[in-house]
Amino acid sequence: MSKKLYIKTYGCQMNVYDSKKMADVLAPLGYAPTEEPDGADLMILNTCHIREKATEKVFSDLGRLRPIKEAKAEQGEKALIAVAGCVAQAEGDVITKRANYVDMVFGPQTYHLLPEMILQANGGERVINTDFPVESKFDLLPTGDIASQGPSAFLSIQEGCDKFCTFCVVPYTRGAEYSRPVQQIIDEARAMADQGTSEVILLGQNVNAYHGTHAGETWDLARLISALAEIGGITRIRYMTSHPRDMNDDLIAAHGDVAKLMPFLHLPVQSGSDRILELMNRKHTADHYRDIIARLRQRRTDIAFSSDFIAGFSGETEEDHQQTLQLIRDVGFAQCYSFKYSTRPGTPGAVMGGMLPEAIKDRRLQELQALLQEQQLAYNLAAVGQVMPVLFDRKGNRPGQLLGKTPYNTSLYVDAPERLFGQTVDVQITAAFQNGMRGEIVTTETTATRTAA
Ligand code: 5AD
Ligand code: SF4
């Protein structure tokens, strides 16, 4: 008999990928995904710990799941509540103490053990697993027998981080950097292509530090991308998230040489001040970042950039803040993410002096966002009138409408028949907004193997 599986995913793309993997692991046990928690037999919160208030949010969501579990119990049925992801990893003991109705708490490196853990939990045991057996996870998670993720899909190739930026929890929640072996990734990409995926987004917390093994050799990300570009059916390749220190010459060259590698890069810089970059332990300067951008633009003139910024890091002066605004003006970003600094327990940043008042952080964040949004809108508006190959990867809100992505990672709405879902089609951009664009189909001629560049 089919059981219902509810997973709520918070945070980054890695969690989205992990949630899909959990569903893949549980499918053979008869669990079918459901959108709503009501009536679910297993409810998993796949949590994120990157910024503040994460734990409180998890407790408030847990409070909503509790009556669902109790309603099932009244009918003599058992429902399990689980907390997975980075909050589980970082605060597992707090969760079990504060919410005794939680049956399972497990970290990101244990998802392959789900069947076993469910068996224990159904037997009445409380399961807590925050171990770090990262290699066995990837060896044991399914790669061939996977549910389709659609035309654009994530593929995790690297996990964890050894950079230890002073504000960041990732090295503690996801552990040391680990790269999956090349063959595993190629097998998974082939299986994805067989399931109808054309765009593969390679994921890792520090993805361009990738150094996987193959036949006794170590491959970097550039080499892996070239190999994946050989797979028929895969027409677009992207990767995220990268660190400036790991943008090596070959990877920069790949942006000019590999047509399937999309002309878009998310490259977080966090700050434009060398003093703050040093306090953040970023291991690069603002000019180092500008230089990488310039070299990428030499290889691929039309490449678009996005970045992450932190406003109001401890010790940040007005001058430092102005330097960040200057870096933004110098580079010109197509997309942007900016966050107010929040100290995370357990990170070096949490014990650093120089915390700024909230009002200053708020004001600086607003200034960053105003400039970044202005750039994003200008970038989108400049596309109006252009024709671009668009991969239709999502259904629109209303019938007769599809959502797609340009090579530059901009989303757009197009009136298009459903049969074009999953296809790449030439679209003329007719209007642009802050967060997207609208377009019209130029031609309905498509082939599954065309490249977008
Ligand atoms: N405070 C604010 N933003 C943070 N980020 C990571 N940790 C923090 C923090 N403590 C941001 C960084 C990172 C993105 C994923 O989240 O900009 O690149
Ligand atoms: Fe966190 Fe990224 Fe720095 Fe690693 S490189 S510590 S994941 S911000």
Side-chain angles (χ1 to χ4, degrees):
M1 216 191 53
S2 161
K3 285 175 274 198
K4 284 192 195 161
L5 167 67
Y6 170 77
I7 306 183
K8 176 167 177 179
T9 309
Y10 312 69
C12 67
Q13 285 80 4
M14 182 74 84
N15 268 10
V16 175
Y17 175 89
D18 283 348
S19 291
K20 296 238 159 73
K21 281 284 156 189
M22 285 194 252
D24 284 339
V25 170
L26 292 170
L29 276 80
Y31 283 95
T34 163
E35 296 291 318
E36 295 299 328
D38 300 276
D41 301 278
L42 172 58
M43 296 168 262
I44 303 177
L45 300 181
N46 190 8
T47 61
C48 169
H49 202 238
I50 197 99
R51 279 177 295 275
E52 231 172 1
K53 304 203 180 91
T55 315
E56 286 317 306
K57 212 162 155 222
V58 171
F59 280 112
S60 88
D61 280 347
L62 280 173
R64 275 192 280 274
L65 299 185
R66 184 182 195 169
I68 296 172
K69 173 175 168 150
E70 287 169 352
K72 272 233 158 186
E74 275 168 27
Q75 293 166 4
E77 290 175 41
K78 196 174 174 88
L80 297 175
I81 297 181
V83 181
C86 294
V87 174
Q89 186 67 42
E91 310 206 41
D93 46 344
V94 181
I95 296 167
T96 51
K97 275 199 202 97
R98 262 181 67 181
N100 62 5
Y101 51 90
V102 170
D103 303 279
M104 304 157 78
V105 174
F106 47 88
Q109 308 310 339
T110 64
Y111 299 155
H112 58 296
L113 301 173
L114 259 172
E116 209 175 295
M117 295 193 286
I118 288 172
L119 211 62
Q120 287 171 306
N122 272 329
E125 243 181 273
R126 180 178 252 191
V127 178
I128 301 171
N129 193 343
T130 49
D131 293 343
F132 264 115
V134 66
E135 292 185 42
S136 48
K137 172 175 95 166
F138 280 120
D139 289 345
L140 297 169
L141 281 172
T143 50
D145 191 15
I146 50 176
S148 175
Q149 285 188 63
S152 172
F154 298 125
L155 203 180
S156 181
I157 66 165
Q158 180 277 337
E159 200 166 344
C161 183
D162 292 341
K163 291 286 188 296
F164 291 93
C165 299
T166 51
F167 53 81
C168 185
V169 287
V170 164
Y172 312 97
T173 56
R174 292 278 172 167
E177 193 191 301
Y178 169 78
S179 296
R180 289 177 77 182
V182 170
Q183 196 58 51
Q184 244 181 43
I185 296 167
I186 290 178
D187 290 347
E188 187 159 337
R190 284 211 183 99
M192 289 162 77
D194 289 346
Q195 297 266 17
T197 293
S198 343
E199 176 175 272
V200 170
I201 305 168
L202 307 175
L203 290 184
Q205 271 90 24
N206 185 178
V207 74
N208 59 341
Y210 179 81
H211 57 278
T213 51
H214 191 61
E217 281 189 297
T218 302
W219 285 30
D220 64 7
L221 182 59
R223 193 163 175 193
L224 178 71
I225 287 171
S226 297
L228 292 172
E230 299 292 315
I231 299 176
I234 301 294
T235 59
R236 293 180 166 200
I237 301 171
R238 303 178 190 275
Y239 60 95
M240 68 188 298
T241 295
S242 296
H243 190 286
R245 273 290 288 262
D246 298 310
M247 284 309 302
N248 68 16
D249 292 344
D250 285 353
L251 187 54
I252 291 174
H255 277 275
D257 299 340
V258 182
K260 291 183 182 180
L261 184 57
M262 289 294 97
F264 174 84
L265 180 64
H266 179 60
L267 190 63
V269 64
Q270 316 294 358
S271 168
S273 152
D274 289 347
R275 213 178 57 79
I276 295 300
L277 289 170
E278 174 96 41
L279 285 173
M280 288 176 164
N281 190 31
R282 287 289 292 177
K283 305 179 176 82
H284 64 82
T285 63
D287 278 348
H288 183 190
Y289 186 86
R290 287 186 180 90
D291 179 59
I292 294 166
I293 300 288
R295 287 195 288 143
L296 281 158
R297 282 192 165 132
Q298 268 166 17
R299 293 284 180 172
R300 181 83 207 224
T301 47
D302 61 337
I303 189 167
F305 293 103
S306 85
S307 194
D308 291 343
F309 295 89
I310 296 179
F313 189 67
S314 296
E316 188 186 76
T317 63
E318 196 54 34
E319 168 65 22
D320 296 318
H321 172 59
Q322 291 301 328
Q323 287 178 4
T324 302
L325 293 169
Q326 189 54 45
L327 181 132
I328 296 170
R329 286 186 209 104
D330 291 346
V331 173
F333 291 97
Q335 282 175 31
C336 42
Y337 303 89
S338 46
F339 313 98
K340 186 165 73 163
Y341 177 53
S342 70
T343 52
R344 311 304 297 122
T347 62
V351 291
M352 259 182 189
M355 267 284 276
L356 299 186
E358 288 303 297
I360 294 187
K361 292 198 243 176
D362 284 333
R363 199 250 305 149
R364 290 186 187 161
L365 180 66
Q366 277 168 21
E367 288 178 13
L368 286 183
Q369 289 185 336
L371 179 58
L372 289 164
Q373 281 170 14
E374 192 186 301
Q375 289 194 342
Q376 182 166 326
L377 180 61
Y379 183 84
N380 290 348
L381 284 170
V384 174
Q386 291 183 38
V387 174
M388 297 182 193
V390 168
L391 169 64
F392 288 123
D393 59 351
R394 281 158 296 163
K395 306 265 161 77
N397 291 333
R398 51 184 178 77
Q401 190 182 60
L402 292 177
L403 265 167
K405 249 190 300 175
T406 70
Y408 310 103
N409 210 37
T410 316
S411 293
L412 77 175
Y413 284 97
V414 181
D415 285 334
E418 180 142 358
R419 69 184 163 78
L420 292 182
F421 179 71
Q423 304 284 310
T424 300
V425 179
D426 278 344
V427 169
Q428 179 159 41
I429 313 302
T430 53
F433 321 99
Q434 181 68 48
N435 290 316
M437 311 191 296
R438 213 174 31 230
E440 281 170 13
I441 292 173
V442 172
T443 163
T444 50
E445 250 180 52
T446 57
T447 65
T449 51
R450 67 168 297 162
T451 60

